[in-house]
Amino acid sequence: MQLNLAVFVSGRGSNFQALLEAIASGKLHAKIAVLISDRSEAGALQFAQYAKIPTEVLACRDEEKYEHTLRLALHKREANFIVLAGYLRKIPSSIIRAFHGRIINIHPALLPSFGGKGMYGSHVHQAVLDYGCKVSGATVHFVEEEYDTGAPILQRCIPVLDDDTSETLAARVLQVEHQLLPEALQLFAEERIELEERSVRII
């Protein structure tokens, strides 16, 4: 499958950079058709401009306009697969339905634990530490209409260390994210993912 990716980012875009590096090294057979952000100050936009990748900033608050503009952006760039890589705004249900089985997210914890609304960034890692977990990690999962409820595709664990802070844990989980997201997308490029209800098989 030829992946024409629309990558959605709200922040600095380290996972976006990891995808660029994986493509450049030949580990990921895909093209990034467009970078979409809901924040004009997102650092990822600068990386995209440097890499000569088209960008779209969708900062409007009106939900109908947001949905319409998003749909046009995806159509214009001929995107056939959506990657949420640190995107904080909810994706409209109509887009999720249109891209069913072709929209994934990277989450900095082992879902279904520490997921849902408000569980992003340092909030996730602090919650892991507050609970006293011995392991954490990252999850690549399909996107459904509710936050972090789609079937997991790939997960990878790391130990939580006795002296971890939310910052040190986040840094180590992020290294796993940078490995896991390109790996998951390459499985799609090789057509090795099968989804049946909540069961994901790698063939």
Side-chain angles (χ1 to χ4, degrees):
M1 177 182 182
Q2 174 58 49
L3 298 182
N4 291 324
L5 306 176
V7 182
F8 287 52
V9 179
S10 292
R12 67 184 186 274
S14 68
N15 273 307
F16 171 65
Q17 288 179 268
L19 293 180
L20 288 174
E21 291 170 7
I23 291 169
S25 68
K27 293 179 181 178
L28 172 57
H29 302 143
K31 172 187 174 184
I32 300 180
V34 62
L35 176 82
I36 293 175
S37 182
D38 59 334
R39 298 181 177 183
S40 59
E41 70 276 14
L45 293 167
Q46 295 180 349
F47 292 120
Q49 289 164 5
Y50 180 77
K52 298 182 179 178
I53 290 172
T55 61
E56 299 277 353
V57 177
L58 307 179
C60 58
R61 294 294 105 189
D62 180 81
E63 288 301 319
E64 285 190 15
K65 185 177 179 182
Y66 167 62
E67 180 178 348
H68 177 70
T69 307
L70 178 53
R71 190 178 292 277
L72 286 178
L74 294 168
H75 178 73
K76 179 170 67 173
R77 304 300 179 184
E78 298 182 338
N80 62 5
F81 204 101
I82 293 175
V83 182
L84 307 185
Y87 189 69
L88 301 182
R89 190 167 182 180
K90 197 166 187 181
I91 304 297
S93 295
S94 64
I95 301 293
I96 293 173
R97 289 192 293 269
F99 281 81
H100 178 71
R102 295 179 293 122
I103 175 170
I104 65 173
N105 179 53
I106 180 85
H107 184 75
L110 298 172
L111 293 176
S113 299
F114 308 107
K117 189 174 183 180
M119 279 287 116
Y120 63 89
S122 62
H123 301 289
V124 176
H125 304 297
Q126 191 59 54
V128 169
L129 293 173
D130 290 345
Y131 200 82
C133 292
K134 301 304 182 184
V135 295
S136 189
T139 303
V140 177
H141 65 95
F142 284 104
V143 174
E144 300 292 349
E145 294 183 38
E146 297 301 321
Y147 287 111
D148 301 329
T149 58
I153 301 163
L154 292 178
Q155 293 183 299
R156 193 160 295 157
C157 297
I158 63 164
V160 177
L161 306 180
D162 290 341
D163 60 350
D164 262 330
T165 65
S166 62
E167 290 80 13
T168 60
L169 182 57
R172 297 204 328 280
V173 170
L174 192 60
Q175 292 178 348
V176 174
E177 292 180 50
H178 292 168
Q179 300 165 8
L180 214 57
L181 188 56
E183 286 178 22
L185 286 167
Q186 182 59 23
L187 291 173
F188 281 99
E190 295 172 2
E191 299 184 350
R192 294 177 57 198
I193 298 291
E194 286 186 353
L195 173 64
E196 185 176 344
E197 296 182 353
R198 288 198 59 81
S199 178
V200 175
R201 293 180 59 225
I202 299 173
I203 57 175

